[in-house]
Amino acid sequence: MTQLERASFGSKLGVILATAGSAVGLGNVWRFPYMAGEYGGAAFIVIYVGCVLLFGIPCMVSEFIIGRHAASNTARAYRSLAGGTPWAAIGYFGVFTGLLITSYYAVVAGWCLQYIAASLLGQLHGSPEFFAEYFATFEKDPFKPVFWTVAIFLITHYVIIHGVRGGIEKASKLLMPALFVLLLIVVVSACLLPGAFEGVKFLFKPDFSKVGGDVFLGALGQSFYSLSIGMGCLCTYASYFSRQTNLMKSAVQIGVLDTSVAILAGLMIFPAAFSVGINPDSGPSLVFITLPNVFQQAFASLPVVGYVVGFAFYALLALAAITSLISLHEVTTAFIHEEMHTTRKRAAWTVTILCSVIGAVCSLSLGKLDFLKIGDRSLFDFFDFITGQVMLPVGGFFTCLFVGWYLPHKMVRDEFSNWGTLRGKLFHTYLFCIKFVCPICILMIFLHQFGWI
């Protein structure tokens, strides 16, 4: 399949919104705020933004170069550029990583749908203990989490089977603006609460006396996960880019959008948390246990507003999850469609059914099938650990080495500058980052995860 025959995005806006949708997900709206809370707020954000600029954007451009040049699914892209060498394994590794993440990520996305339904039915009210018990009971339920996991896959499947322009691009143009509107509604509501300014100050007034090695490495890791580097999404989407797409400009725009969503998520959560005296370092439980209580307390005098804001928040989470799931699903769908020479619909159904089964088992491993453990981790927690803390850093590390040290510099330069039609004045800076800075940083993340540094 040549680049002319291959499907492509129909507009520059479609490129930006679809690829930003891949990057913007639960990592921005869920993981970023609790990490910022744990690592001291503003100082963490300053370091995080630096990591996105120096580390995330060069890695993103590298995946764009591979995807657009090969104009094929992630596995074939690396294989065609590797020339029969073991470097081809990086592509297959990325597809497998994307498949595993798709399966368990949908479980958390399904939780968001449950909380939307609970918000609409007025079930999210009670004591802090009530919210903890509500989540624990739901998580271990043998039916509800599996139902919502399958539901989120069917929504994603509907988008995927309509192709690149009619499905992915069209959905991104609808979902991403809706995501921003909902985000702004909750941000404004939170910032108008009494005492909210303390939360704003926590987010924007840095205290660098608290900065240590953990803060830097935490920010580095978050930038990596937030931008979807190393899981095949960016490479797959880049295969649909036209030859006129400015890769560096697109990467910067996506990085800005992604970071903006993360910071807005902080503005949404911390002012509300400070307003009711909730500790900002509540950790991963912040979204599903702490925040319902925050919304209830913060808008106690205006219950209707609390109802609307709570619903908008979980709708926002679901939209963020779906935009990322679309890109994750597409990685494996494109692989099966092109490598197994089957129709796009059949490939999409294969991924949907396979991931639904794996996702259901992951969900049940938190309840009825809690004996499904690997080491001391449930199957769900193991998938989260092995992909996020092992497979993504490994894939990103070898992608940097592949582009920086194996691919011909002329080919990389041609893609970077759109075959000389763009000024490539940042090329040498980019190449230095991808050859030295990025591999070293990713290696540091990997070693830090295991306590080796």
Side-chain angles (χ1 to χ4, degrees), residues 5-28:
E5 295 168 334
R6 188 172 175 77
S8 63
F9 292 117
S11 65
K12 291 180 180 179
L13 180 63
V15 169
I16 299 301
L17 291 180
T19 316
S22 168
V24 172
L26 292 176
N28 302 74

Side-chain angles (χ1 to χ4, degrees), residues 64 82 134 158 252 334 371:
F64 286 170
Y134 180 89
Y158 179 80
V252 170
F371 57 85

Side-chain angles (χ1 to χ4, degrees), residues 17-46:
L17 291 180
T19 316
S22 168
V24 172
L26 292 176
N28 302 74
V29 188
W30 168 57
R31 194 171 190 266
F32 179 87
Y34 86 70
M35 286 198 70
E38 289 179 351
Y39 287 117
F44 174 84
I45 292 174
V46 171

Side-chain angles (χ1 to χ4, degrees), residues 176-258:
M176 289 303 290
L179 189 153
F180 271 97
V181 169
L182 287 172
L183 191 54
L184 290 173
I185 289 171
V186 184
V187 166
V188 171
S189 301
C191 288
L192 290 176
L193 291 170
F197 184 70
E198 288 302 311
V200 176
K201 196 162 69 172
F202 175 80
L203 204 59
F204 292 115
K205 187 177 179 181
D207 180 3
F208 290 105
S209 65
K210 297 179 180 178
V211 173
D214 283 354
V215 176
F216 179 79
L217 290 167
L220 201 59
Q222 175 61 20
S223 69
F224 185 81
Y225 304 129
S226 180
L227 293 171
S228 299
I229 294 164
M231 60 184 75
C233 299
L234 301 176
C235 184
T236 300
Y237 272 20
S239 71
Y240 304 129
F241 287 3
S242 74
R243 290 171 68 90
Q244 287 71 48
T245 301
N246 185 325
L247 301 186
M248 175 57 83
K249 185 178 179 181
S250 297
V252 170
Q253 290 170 331
I254 292 158
V256 168
L257 274 174
D258 186 74

